Amino acid sequence: GNACASAGPALLFVKTSRVGEQGRRFYACSACRDRKDCSFFQWEDEKVSETRLAAREEYNRNRQPSFTHRQNVERLKNFVVLPLSQRKFCQDCQQLLLPSEWQEHSGHQFQCDISTAQLKAPSQLLYPLENKKTNAQYLFANRSCQFLLDLIIALGFRRVLSVGTPRLHEMIQSKASQDEDFSVRSLLLDIDFRYSQFYAEDEFCHYNMFNHYFFGGEAAHETCQQFLYQNTGERVIMVTDPPFGGLVEALASSFKKLMAMWRETEKEGDNNQEMPVFWIFPYFFESRILEFFPSFSMMDYQVDYDNHALYKHGKTGRRQSPVRIFTNITPRMIVLPIEEGYRFCTICQRYVSSGNQHCEICNSCTSKDGRRWKHCALCNKCVKPSWFHCDKCNCCALQDHSCERTNAGCFVCGKAGHKRSTCPRLSLA
């Protein structure tokens, strides 16, 4: 197995230079899509020398976390009994410190007096790893997180497999610790190993959603399997919020494997069912997601983020977030807040945003971005209000677009002239 230190098995990519030419295949790190973060690169047909293997081993060892999850759980027990004045967190190392370790961290930035409340909200204590291509840790705004949790409870779910959604996980965990009648439980699967300092082994698994890799091996896989095992009345839903630059195909493959793990735990006779899922992703990936999951549909609810410049609600960010919930749950069951302007369309049998008008010709509520779309008779579909029909391109586009259509386009939007890492659709929907 071609493996990178911090991410598990590599993924196979294809490098093509000219259209129609057979590409040469290579392995690269599944989580870091920028060579600067992880230099792992290997042509598929290339033999690797012993020296290079040894060098890679060495590099991998240096990137390993300093403690195992089990050690971190023990450390937390010792940390919690310390008086407040001795509870320190090293910001440079992103690590809770025990008094015996202060010395070796001298000269580092400390955060002191770490309260129990802070330990219960690690996503606020840890700084977000905002390198877009590797971690892209954008955290749900409180409003969206609360909405998701209320919706999950209203739908009757009692177990949440939180794949890359640390905010939702901690909201569930902290409610459960404060209120014994609160019966929802969550298991966080996340590539950020720093969370292992705050959660027990049955609450967190170090996991890479791009290659379905459990770093804790068989034991972690077993933890996840156990969590998915349904006791009567404890229905499970998977909620996932992947990095938006992520390869839909790789993600879909991992999610299918998680769904298969759920199916293995099912009782006889329920075999045609799918594990319920909320996949949270920008609306312009709709066709890609539906390609892999035909049973999914996209809800109009706009998911907001705290630390994302573009996707914040209100005055500071762009007014409307392009991020949506894709789900295999029957759309009419997903009740959206009327006080935020959503309404029920009786024809479509789903909640839509207030600007989303039902088009008589398309016979559906066609807007994807919250604005009212308009029907183009020539394209025979509804388009964004800012688009106009271009006779040269024979389709609708922005007025000042350039009329060159070539085959080799960007993976995200299909347009030429840029790579998907710089696709304007990722930044302005």
Side-chain angles (χ1 to χ4, degrees), residues 259-418:
M259 290 161 89
M261 279 172 76
W262 174 85
R263 191 169 289 118
E264 283 159 27
T265 69
E266 276 289 81
K267 322 282 178 293
E268 297 303 307
D270 293 344
N271 282 345
N272 55 354
Q273 278 192 305
E274 264 184 352
M275 165 158 84
V277 175
F278 284 166
W279 176 346
I280 291 158
F281 224 50
Y283 71 81
F284 36 84
F285 285 100
E286 182 180 24
S287 61
R288 292 287 288 149
I289 291 178
L290 300 187
E291 204 179 302
F292 295 105
F293 293 108
S295 63
F296 283 30
S297 50
M298 185 177 87
M299 303 297 97
D300 268 22
Y301 183 78
Q302 299 187 1
V303 180
D304 288 319
Y305 293 80
D306 257 359
N307 55 335
H308 197 299
L310 296 165
Y311 306 161
K312 264 194 299 212
H313 196 72
K315 297 190 172 62
T316 41
R318 266 231 349 263
R319 195 170 50 89
Q320 298 193 320
S321 162
V323 187
R324 302 288 180 270
I325 300 168
F326 291 87
T327 184
N328 49 4
I329 295 169
T330 316
R332 65 177 149 65
M333 309 286 290
I334 313 280
V335 178
L336 302 186
I338 287 165
E339 65 280 9
E340 285 180 33
Y342 298 98
R343 59 181 177 81
F344 189 73
C345 172
T346 48
I347 309 170
C348 295
Q349 284 290 297
R350 68 181 182 100
Y351 280 81
V352 295
S353 62
S354 51
N356 194 355
Q357 293 294 320
H358 192 88
C359 169
E360 299 291 328
I361 308 165
C362 297
N363 194 27
S364 76
C365 293
T366 47
S367 166
K368 307 284 182 197
D369 62 7
R371 296 178 295 177
R372 185 175 181 168
W373 284 24
K374 58 184 185 185
H375 191 85
C376 169
L378 294 167
C379 292
N380 195 24
K381 63 175 187 189
C382 286
V383 296
K384 292 184 177 183
S386 52
W387 286 16
F388 295 92
H389 195 84
C390 167
D391 293 327
K392 271 194 200 137
C393 296
N394 195 25
C395 68
C396 285
L398 281 168
Q399 224 162 1
D400 53 0
H401 72 288
S402 55
C403 300
E404 307 134 8
R405 303 194 69 184
T406 62
N407 297 336
C410 151
F411 285 143
V412 174
C413 66
K415 295 200 169 67
H418 63 265

Side-chain angles (χ1 to χ4, degrees), residues 6-20:
S6 43
L11 288 180
L12 187 58
F13 295 89
V14 183
K15 196 173 190 65
T16 49
S17 40
R18 270 180 223 87
V19 179

Side-chain angles (χ1 to χ4, degrees), residues 180-191:
E180 52 191 52
D181 296 333
F182 186 81
S183 56
V184 184
R185 293 292 172 272
S186 169
L187 171 65
L188 176 64
L189 306 188
D190 201 290
I191 197 159

